[in-house]
Amino acid sequence: MENWVLLRKGADFQHISEKFHISPRVASLIRNRDVIGDDAIEKYLNGTIADLYDGMLMKDMDKAVAVLGEKIKENAKIRIIGDYDIDGIQSTYILLEGFRMLGADVDSDIPDRMKDGYGLNRNLIAAAEEIAYAKSMGMTIVVTDHHEVPYTEIGAGRRYILPEADAVVDPKQEDCTYPFKGLCGAAVAYKLVEALMEAMGKDAEDADYLMENVAIATIGDVMDLVDENRIFVKQGLDMLKRTENLGLKALMECTGVNVDKLSSYHIGFVIGPCMNASGRLDTAKRALELLEAKKVAEADLLAGDLKALNDSRKDMTAQAVEEAFIQVENSELKDADVLVVYLPE
């Protein structure tokens, strides 16, 4: 039997326990996550959509909304380029759905991991090797992201390196005042869609169903389940239980997920890996096609393909681990404190 030692940061756990009808141990765990004060605890336990922050608080969100709103009204061609991981797939789908609701002339592309590498590249934007070159060709570029902004050291300070885009929406920018910095890329994309719909006179609640995709990305990208992320995941899981997305329905069915008992476990260890496998072994466009499927037969076929890809990935992983064990056992590596095994194939 394991002996667990519970770290207890200072707080009146008995008061918290009684007020919020939770055990003192749960109160201690919440305090350990630096959730302090009755309001913060209430939001942590019972947060709702109404507690989400206004996306317009993000730096450059106003610029992004103005630029995109103008392009949609002009019926200009818009291309969404996403990344091939689960967060990138969900982000691409969210933006496609949101822009289509606004009547945009929009399409998408996702890099091939092997052919194109990671992120934006010349094969995905005509005659453009990078954003700066795209700008020199007269293109309009809006970037949404959630990663740390790269920088160079200058004496005792830093110079942050941002792309030369018309707008860069990333809550981790140094001077962005958005209250929560821990969003995944899909959540940032959702905030953009919501803000754009409001600016163009549409009901932003029409996009609420996309929270199920934000939840998938938040769990799949292993974001901390605090603040807005808890709300997105809680609401998204509820929505997934009654989703109208044929692709998600088919994927849950073919992987044996009990929808009534759907939890973050199923996203993180069943559904998510199937979507990630498409980008790792084939093309992430397959997962995007699944989300966009409009016929049951198509959804069933695509879901089966993704499950088969993930099964293949698991078999390859098991084989590689076995090969690594053999390599260790038959060499001096077995006496090392830290093992780093390279399998070139």
Side-chain angles (χ1 to χ4, degrees):
M1 181 177 177
E2 296 283 350
N3 291 319
W4 290 81
V5 178
L6 183 61
L7 174 67
R8 298 175 76 92
K9 294 183 178 179
D12 186 346
F13 300 121
Q14 194 59 42
H15 163 76
I16 296 172
S17 170
E18 292 172 359
K19 179 161 186 173
F20 293 98
H21 307 291
I22 57 178
S23 76
R25 289 184 177 180
V26 171
S28 179
L29 290 170
I30 291 174
R31 172 62 185 87
N32 289 351
R33 290 191 174 189
D34 293 323
V35 179
I36 301 170
D38 287 356
D39 290 344
I41 295 171
E42 173 64 31
K43 182 177 178 180
Y44 182 88
L45 292 171
N46 304 307
T48 66
I49 293 175
D51 294 306
L52 295 172
Y53 305 120
D54 183 354
M56 289 301 291
L57 295 172
M58 287 189 195
K59 182 187 177 185
D60 274 13
M61 183 66 86
D62 55 342
K63 292 181 183 178
V65 167
V67 167
L68 291 167
E70 180 181 347
K71 296 299 180 183
I72 291 172
K73 289 174 183 175
E74 292 174 356
N75 201 35
K77 290 186 179 296
I78 298 173
R79 168 157 291 182
I80 297 160
I81 297 179
D83 288 326
Y84 50 68
D85 64 357
I86 190 168
D87 189 25
I89 294 163
Q90 303 301 322
S91 300
T92 303
Y93 177 72
I94 287 168
L95 292 172
L96 279 171
E97 285 287 288
F99 288 8
R100 285 168 179 162
M101 280 190 277
L102 293 167
D105 181 2
V106 61
D107 66 7
S108 69
D109 209 340
I110 296 177
D112 183 287
R113 183 177 185 177
M114 297 304 176
K115 294 178 184 176
D116 302 313
Y118 194 77
L120 206 60
N121 66 84
R122 64 183 306 158
N123 295 319
L124 294 173
I125 292 188
E129 189 168 338
E130 56 191 24
I131 289 174
Y133 187 63
K135 286 297 297 174
S136 75
M137 296 293 290
M139 299 182 73
T140 301
I141 308 289
V142 174
V143 175
T144 67
D145 201 353
H146 75 116
H147 294 102
E148 299 289 346
V149 180
Y151 62 86
T152 56
E153 299 283 357
I154 300 179
R158 295 174 175 177
R159 181 175 69 82
Y160 288 90
I161 304 168
L162 290 170
E164 297 177 27
D166 294 82
V168 178
V169 183
D170 180 348
K172 288 197 176 141
Q173 292 184 79
E174 181 187 25
D175 48 355
C176 181
T177 59
Y178 194 74
F180 181 53
K181 307 296 185 182
L183 295 174
C184 66
V188 177
Y190 175 81
K191 294 284 182 177
L192 174 58
V193 166
E194 192 176 46
L196 191 56
M197 291 185 72
E198 289 178 354
M200 297 187 72
K202 302 291 185 180
D203 188 350
E205 290 186 3
D206 289 346
D208 281 356
Y209 72 97
L210 295 171
M211 284 190 198
E212 64 190 27
N213 301 94
V214 177
I216 291 171
T218 299
I219 297 166
D221 217 28
V222 200
M223 308 307 294
D224 291 337
L225 288 187
V226 295
D227 209 291
E228 284 190 302
N229 288 345
R230 285 185 71 80
I231 298 171
F232 276 131
V233 168
K234 180 181 178 182
Q235 297 291 333
L237 286 174
D238 284 342
M239 291 175 176
L240 276 168
K241 290 177 181 178
R242 55 182 187 279
T243 185
E244 295 182 5
N245 186 288
L246 296 180
L248 291 174
K249 277 184 178 179
L251 188 57
M252 287 189 282
E253 183 176 339
C254 82
T255 53
V257 172
N258 183 340
V259 177
D260 294 332
K261 295 184 178 180
L262 181 70
S263 71
S264 57
Y265 168 82
H266 299 104
I267 305 299
F269 294 97
V270 182
I271 296 171
C274 288
M275 291 191 161
N276 266 330
S278 68
R280 287 173 177 165
L281 299 185
D282 187 26
T283 169
K285 293 175 190 176
R286 279 208 195 186
L288 183 60
E289 289 170 4
L290 175 77
L291 294 175
E292 294 192 284
K294 301 303 180 189
K295 295 181 179 179
V296 173
E298 178 191 13
D300 288 344
L301 180 63
L302 288 166
D305 286 347
L306 290 187
K307 182 181 181 299
L309 271 175
N310 191 48
D311 289 342
S312 174
R313 177 197 62 82
K314 288 190 285 189
D315 290 342
M316 290 168 68
T317 300
Q319 181 181 349
V321 170
E322 180 62 29
E323 290 175 11
F325 270 119
I326 293 171
Q327 193 175 119
V328 169
E329 290 298 326
N330 294 328
S331 71
E332 295 179 358
L333 279 171
K334 65 177 179 291
D335 299 320
D337 292 329
V338 177
L339 299 177
V340 180
V341 180
Y342 171 55
L343 302 177
E345 72 281 8

